[in-house]
Amino acid sequence: MIPAALPSPSVGVIELGPLTIHAYALCILAGIFVAVWMGDRRPRDRGGEPGVVPDIAMWAVPFGIIGGRLYHVITTPQPYFGDGGNPVDALKIWQGGLGIWGAVAPGAVGARIGCRKEGVRFLTFADAAVPGILVARAIGRWGNWFNNEIYGPRTDLPRGLEIHRWDSSTGRAVVDGAGEPVVLGTFHPTFLYESLFLLGLAVLLLVLDRRVRFAPGQVMALYIGGYPVGRLFIEMIRTDAANTILGLRVNIWTSILVFVLGVVLYILLGRRAEEPDEARISSSET
């Protein structure tokens, strides 16, 4: 029998004595583990040196998390600096709020530092890491499920997601007088849509990478340009509060810009690979 709606947890934390573990944080950590494992496995399958990717990740992950949090806080400042906001909450990443758009550039900077220290070409590393990053983000999206956040408009479809009124400070659903979790309604599970899209994009890039001879960096460019395609659809149906520019959510504008960036990078990297070695050396010296 098909359920009337997909359930959401009413508790997003695990209490171990004085220690409180947030499921959102566990999802992020699980995603990071998978990304590092996949990123390390791909070069090894091609004869590369094992153990390099975890060392590079030690630089890339902190840079990416800090950048993702800064993007979230800058584009959604009201909960932290608006009326009734608490600036200290900006540091509480475990309560949710990591903007992928802010994580990419700083994460790439951290990865570049790590690649330089390990003597690895950055574009080679990026192409190897991208599928794992997509799978990691698909896993991380389930942190939104535990936090009862990131959903779309109301729906009565069987794939609708039951959402509770949530208290982010405790990591639990608000309860009524009888002690039962308060249900807001049934909504489109946009976190699930994005998770499935990310997994699909990861599989597509893995298949293409086996069948197409890409120039160094072009798999990375396909990731940069491909992800915004799905994100545009998701942003258009999300109903959670967000700042807008000219009537459109900030993330919609960001998706468009990042899509264009990915296309331009793909073209430029392809042309660069077609240049004679002498031309590339000359252009790098000017």
Side-chain angles (χ1 to χ4, degrees), residues 3-269:
L6 301 174
S8 286
S10 59
V11 178
V13 296
I14 301 172
E15 304 284 354
L16 297 176
L19 182 63
T20 300
I21 302 175
H22 289 254
Y24 181 92
L26 292 178
C27 290
I28 298 296
L29 291 174
I32 292 172
F33 175 82
V34 171
V36 172
W37 177 79
M38 289 184 64
D40 191 48
R41 182 66 181 268
R42 274 167 56 78
R44 279 196 292 173
D45 290 344
R46 303 178 184 189
E49 184 178 349
V52 173
V53 170
D55 293 334
I56 297 173
M58 293 295 290
W59 288 92
V61 171
F63 274 66
I65 290 177
I66 292 171
R69 186 59 173 180
L70 285 174
Y71 178 88
H72 168 74
V73 172
I74 291 171
T75 57
T76 314
Q78 291 86 351
Y80 314 107
F81 305 104
D83 292 340
N86 183 1
V88 176
D89 288 344
L91 303 175
K92 299 177 180 179
I93 297 177
W94 55 88
Q95 291 184 359
L98 287 175
I100 182 59
W101 308 119
V104 172
V109 171
R112 200 173 190 93
I113 294 172
C115 285
R116 182 168 296 181
K117 288 183 173 293
E118 297 297 326
V120 176
R121 189 179 181 188
F122 171 71
L123 292 180
T124 302
F125 165 79
D127 286 343
V130 156
I133 292 172
L134 284 165
V135 174
R137 293 182 51 210
I139 295 172
R141 269 302 176 201
W142 284 85
N144 302 129
W145 178 65
F146 281 102
N147 280 359
N148 281 241
E149 60 186 2
I150 314 300
Y151 49 88
R154 291 180 180 272
T155 180
D156 56 1
L157 295 173
R159 66 172 182 270
L161 180 69
E162 186 179 83
I163 293 293
H164 300 102
R165 187 182 302 279
W166 200 251
D167 183 355
S168 59
S169 63
T170 63
R172 299 173 182 273
V174 176
V175 297
D176 58 21
E180 295 295 323
V182 177
V183 176
L184 291 178
T186 305
F187 305 84
H188 278 278
T190 52
F191 89 89
L192 178 59
Y193 299 160
E194 183 167 351
S195 181
L196 293 175
F197 173 75
L198 290 166
L199 289 174
L201 184 56
V203 171
L204 176 62
L205 292 185
L206 286 170
V207 171
L208 289 176
D209 197 26
R210 288 181 176 271
R211 298 184 178 182
V212 180
R213 187 173 180 178
F214 290 111
Q218 281 192 315
V219 174
M220 174 192 70
L222 286 174
Y223 162 58
I224 294 173
Y227 169 65
V229 176
R231 185 61 183 260
L232 269 173
F233 164 75
I234 292 163
E235 285 294 330
M236 288 178 179
I237 65 173
R238 279 176 59 170
T239 57
D240 52 308
N243 293 319
T244 61
I245 299 176
L246 299 178
L248 294 177
R249 298 167 69 98
V250 171
N251 282 337
I252 290 180
W253 291 108
T254 306
S255 297
I256 294 171
L257 292 175
V258 174
F259 170 77
V260 173
L261 173 63
V263 172
V264 171
L265 276 176
Y266 184 88
I267 294 171
L268 292 179
L269 290 167

